[in-house]
Amino acid sequence: MFSRILIANRGEIALRIIRACREMGIETVVVYSEADRNASYIELADQAICIGPASPTHSYLNIPAIISAAEVADVDAIHPGYGFLAENAHFAQICADCGIIFIGPRPESMRMLGDKVAARELAKKAHVPVVPGSDGQIKDDKEAIKLANKIGYPVIVKAAAGGGGRGMRVAHNDISLRNAFATAKTEAEAAFKDGTVYLEKYIVEPRHVEVQVMADKSGNTLHFFERDCSIQRRHQKLIEESPCPILDERTREELCKSALKVIKEANYENAATVEFLLDRNKKFYFIEVNTRIQVEHPVTEMVTGIDLIKMQLKIAGGQNINLKQKDIKHSGVAIECRINAEDPERNFSPCPGKVDKFILPGGMGVRVDTHIFQGAVVSPYYDSMIAKLIVHRPTRDEAIITMKRALSEFRIGPIKTTIPACLKILSHNLYLQNKVDTSFIEQHLT
Ligand code: MV4
């Protein structure tokens, strides 16, 4: 196993990785920007190295600075966390070239699955259901219109280099499709320097369901069931839960098996999330693969009892997974609420500043993943997430009760947070009755 690793991230995930390493006897080196010099987890890491000013381009995205820190500290490996360099194939390649293990997939897998057209074709090859749509990319609007009339409107034009909701356009007829095709292509060209687009039937009011998977270097693959992430706003998830409350056992098994087919076909290694859309008839369709550990991984950890960060470290260190699929069980219901420094009353605009008051919830079934403490300063330079509140209870009803209790115990001030918005959702009839989809917040919380 590794003796020492570098954590190329900040915030709660840096702390999460330090905790896993401490239990495994791995030393940690954390890098930080000038804005994070007073971060709580710096005290808990074995070593901390400043890599630059607050601006992410000059610090957490600064590959030469991070590699230099890794060389100086003489680490065996780098954990990228999520965001920043986590899905950067170029960075993973540089790590390999420098003899440092990147704790994640091989650069080729990241590159291939980062191309949504290639990922879609791979899923088809693995006999996994994909949304009806184009074979490969769509070259011109004539081809788009011809296909749209074959599969039926509405359709969605997506950028091959997109993902996470960037570079998408919906069209309801030939005229709007001509427009959608042109704008999607132009936007993709500008945002990703790659104007490749493809077309899918637009699934109306879907649920977002994703499967957690892991693969070791020997090709052993495991799934850890699914998370329902339908409660999101502008592609930023707010509440996630596991299991998906509307799946029957048979569909769950099919879904999870499909996720494994995708990562087996990709000859994947380490943690991934395979994303699906679930339509009104509870039919699922593959959409994309995230090649990183995700923010919402704790809900999976709670229902399965498995530490996914430790598993990532073991796999990257060359250990084979010594678990069988049938030994992985899910029990109870876990829900995660993201506590962001945002004002829900002002269109969720960021609310950075000093945290004067910070009282944590606790008690039975409650987990809080946070790097924040009383006196901490929330920087405007980074993502606004300041804590994740996770509950794990035997049933969904009990999980909701505990979550509401824990949210109301949480005291954060004077900055505004998403706590009131989470409380509203958890009390909403449609949420309680499992009648939500990805448009829930826009439709019922504004
Ligand atoms: C879709 C879709 C409807 N039909 N694809 C948005 C993020 C990206 N991962 C895929 N996304 C979508 N793809 C088809 N064919 C609707 C969305 C979508 C969405 C998906 C998941 C979670 C939230 C969403 C919000 C709006 C649109």
Side-chain angles (χ1 to χ4, degrees), residues 97-118:
D97 295 346
C98 295
I100 302 163
I101 292 174
F102 176 85
I103 302 166
R106 287 182 297 271
E108 312 87 74
S109 316
M110 282 161 84
R111 219 166 264 129
M112 199 262 290
L113 294 168
D115 175 347
K116 309 301 164 192
V117 169

Side-chain angles (χ1 to χ4, degrees), residues 116 120 131-132 154-158 162-166 168 170 198-209 229-237 275-277 285-288 290 437-439 442:
K116 309 301 164 192
R120 183 178 150 84
V131 191
V155 296
I156 183 167
V157 183
K158 296 182 174 181
R166 295 169 311 157
M168 310 190 316
V170 179
Y198 62 110
L199 188 128
E200 283 177 357
K201 174 126 187 118
Y202 181 62
I203 308 293
V204 179
E205 297 175 352
R207 290 179 83 110
H208 170 123
V209 183
C229 308
S230 300
I231 303 292
Q232 53 82 51
R233 182 184 166 276
R234 300 193 181 168
H235 307 294
Q236 288 290 104
K237 294 164 186 161
E275 289 190 9
F276 297 87
L277 295 179
Y285 308 92
F286 166 87
I287 49 170
E288 52 193 71
N290 295 317
D437 60 69
T438 52
S439 66
E442 275 96 340

